[in-house]
Amino acid sequence: MTTYWCEWAWLPSGPQADVRFDVDGGRITAVAVGVPAGDAERLPGMVLPGLANAHSHAFHRALRGWHTGARGTFWTWREQMYQVAEALDPDSYYQLARGVYAEMALAGITCVGEFHYLHHAENGTRYADPNAMGEALVQAARDAGIRITLLDTCYLAGGFGRELEGVQLRFSDRDAAGWAARVGEFTVDGDGIRLGAAVHSVRAVPSEQIPDVVDWARRKPLHVHLSEQRAENDACLAAHGCTPTQLLESRGALGPDTTAVHATHLAADDVALLGGSGTGVCLCPTTEADLADGIGPAPALRAAGSGLSIGSDGHSVIDPFAEVQAIESYQRLDAETRGHFSAGELLDAAAESGHRSLGWADAGRLEVGARADFVAIDVGSTRLAGTEPGAVPAVARADDVREVVVDGQRIVRDRAHCAVDAARELRDSINDLRKPR
């Protein structure tokens, strides 16, 4: 058993001073408030529950700073992303992802949802282990010390009525039955791993095959890119006479185990369908800004009943505090009013709600029985000087994270990862991927 003492800790009731946690077997077994440190291990500053990154494409990290400032749209950016996808194999993907997940750990992220669709070799040829790319991601997360929900993604079409082409062939299992058969061969070995599913989008999975993915994912997390682009909405209306949300609802894909990612361009009826079904929504505001996607209706979704989570998606930034703060600031710019989300609501999106969307109902809060995940924020930094304890989630940034504990194991100490040199891993792997081929 290990005992930790915190100057401040964000309990379910809010920030409390002088808090001691007993931890055994990776779980919090006792919480005491207003007690001296004694001989407990000290976690400095404000200690938050572990944060969840509910939407990641690890290989997109190689695009950060590449062609910055070039004019274009999501669709022109996608061609650059495909260049990276063409260059990866299981070994290079493992090295890149290990650096990415270590960078997440340094930012206070204790669990990642990896939206994984880069499954196969060139032209869609299967590796000897058909899940080799997924295994590389799981091993990378394990080595970085964070939990992972591998959201194995079904990707079958190049658009409504369009065949796959080029690198997209690496994404596909030809049909939903083939996807399910491959995923069924994946072995989950370890307490830090969950296996979930994803429908890449309504444009990439023919509507008649969506129910097959939904059936496989029963009682597992199911994620889907939804209405990130107006062009997707227009194409869906032309092909099916309904919005992407309505199409998903008609195929049984909405519900409490489902998370819609982005949900940027929604009609009022779409918001009501998502909220009324208990479907969660993962917002990725730094990526949505980077790709010029737009601003989603976060307050309306929350009011309708959708739990909100956050993701770093394309990794233009890996900073869960930047994500939640952008949710609030973008709404201010859009509505020209302040105060849409409290600091506690922003923390919930980054912590408990995010973990719940990934199938970890026992994480994201500091209470007896929960997983012992602690993120210690340096409140003595210049940025946080004079900040009230209850405002920390609305003001802090990733570089204020000083210590991180996951399932009772310290993985970040004094702002350094205990096992991975993240900067070196990222530099070496990205430089290799960008070499001309």
Side-chain angles (χ1 to χ4, degrees), residues 2-4 40-44 144-145 372 374 376 402-414 416-419:
T2 305
T3 300
Y4 295 96
E41 288 194 41
R42 292 174 179 250
L43 292 174
F374 305 112
R402 185 169 169 183
E403 312 279 334
V404 179
V405 175
V406 180
D407 289 334
Q409 301 297 313
R410 195 184 297 259
I411 64 168
V412 173
R413 185 186 296 275
D414 198 18
H417 198 282
C418 296

Side-chain angles (χ1 to χ4, degrees), residues 144-403:
I146 67 174
R147 294 187 299 274
I148 185 170
T149 297
L150 187 70
L151 298 162
D152 198 291
T153 303
C154 187
Y155 193 125
L156 305 174
F160 295 103
R162 293 182 57 184
E163 297 293 323
L164 297 164
E165 57 184 24
V167 71
Q168 292 174 338
L169 294 169
R170 297 192 67 181
F171 309 158
S172 180
D173 293 289
R174 300 190 179 181
D175 56 30
W179 167 83
R182 177 184 54 75
V183 181
E185 296 179 29
F186 188 92
T187 300
V188 175
D189 57 346
D191 183 53
I193 305 165
R194 295 277 190 276
L195 183 61
V199 171
H200 178 274
S201 57
V202 294
R203 69 178 187 274
V205 179
S207 62
E208 68 275 10
Q209 298 196 55
I210 291 174
D212 294 332
V213 182
V214 174
D215 288 344
W216 185 92
R218 297 291 179 195
R219 295 179 295 280
K220 298 182 181 69
L222 174 66
H223 287 218
V224 55
H225 289 133
L226 179 67
S227 292
E228 180 181 4
Q229 295 291 322
R230 296 184 192 276
E232 177 184 281
N233 291 353
D234 294 342
C236 188
L237 283 167
H240 295 285
C242 62
T243 68
T245 302
Q246 291 168 336
L247 182 61
L248 289 173
E249 193 274 336
S250 72
R251 299 303 186 266
L254 302 185
D257 294 326
T258 299
T259 297
V261 181
H262 302 302
T264 306
H265 301 288
L266 301 176
D269 288 348
D270 296 333
V271 172
L273 281 174
L274 293 171
S277 63
T279 300
V281 173
C282 179
L283 305 168
C284 307
T286 63
T287 293
E288 289 149 11
D290 183 54
L291 300 182
D293 288 341
I295 299 171
L301 286 162
R302 176 190 58 183
S306 289
L308 303 182
S309 56
I310 54 100
S312 60
D313 191 3
H315 311 312
S316 55
V317 174
I318 294 180
D319 185 339
F321 300 100
E323 300 295 345
V324 295
Q325 291 161 26
I327 293 174
E328 170 65 24
S329 62
Y330 293 174
Q331 293 303 318
R332 293 182 183 189
L333 291 170
D334 190 48
E336 300 180 37
T337 57
R338 292 165 53 88
H340 299 271
F341 295 90
S342 69
E345 289 169 330
L346 296 178
L347 178 60
D348 178 73
E352 185 172 2
S353 184
H355 279 99
R356 190 183 309 116
S357 78
L358 297 176
W360 304 88
D362 56 354
R365 59 190 181 278
L366 300 179
E367 65 180 19
V368 173
R371 289 176 178 267
D373 296 349
F374 305 112
V375 177
I377 305 298
D378 180 8
V379 296
S381 70
T382 302
R383 182 185 359 264
L384 295 180
T387 298
E388 293 290 332
V392 167
V395 183
R397 286 298 172 108
D399 54 3
D400 293 315
V401 173
R402 185 169 169 183
E403 312 279 334

Side-chain angles (χ1 to χ4, degrees), residues 421-436:
D421 184 340
R424 181 177 59 81
E425 292 281 331
L426 290 166
R427 180 177 58 250
D428 291 351
S429 59
I430 291 171
N431 286 343
D432 184 62
L433 287 171
R434 290 183 181 177
K435 289 178 181 177

Side-chain angles (χ1 to χ4, degrees), residues 53 56 101 104 109-114 141 146-149 358:
N53 184 353
S56 164
Y101 296 153
M104 290 183 191
I109 292 165
T110 58
C111 182
V112 62
E114 184 63 37
I146 67 174
R147 294 187 299 274
I148 185 170
T149 297
L358 297 176

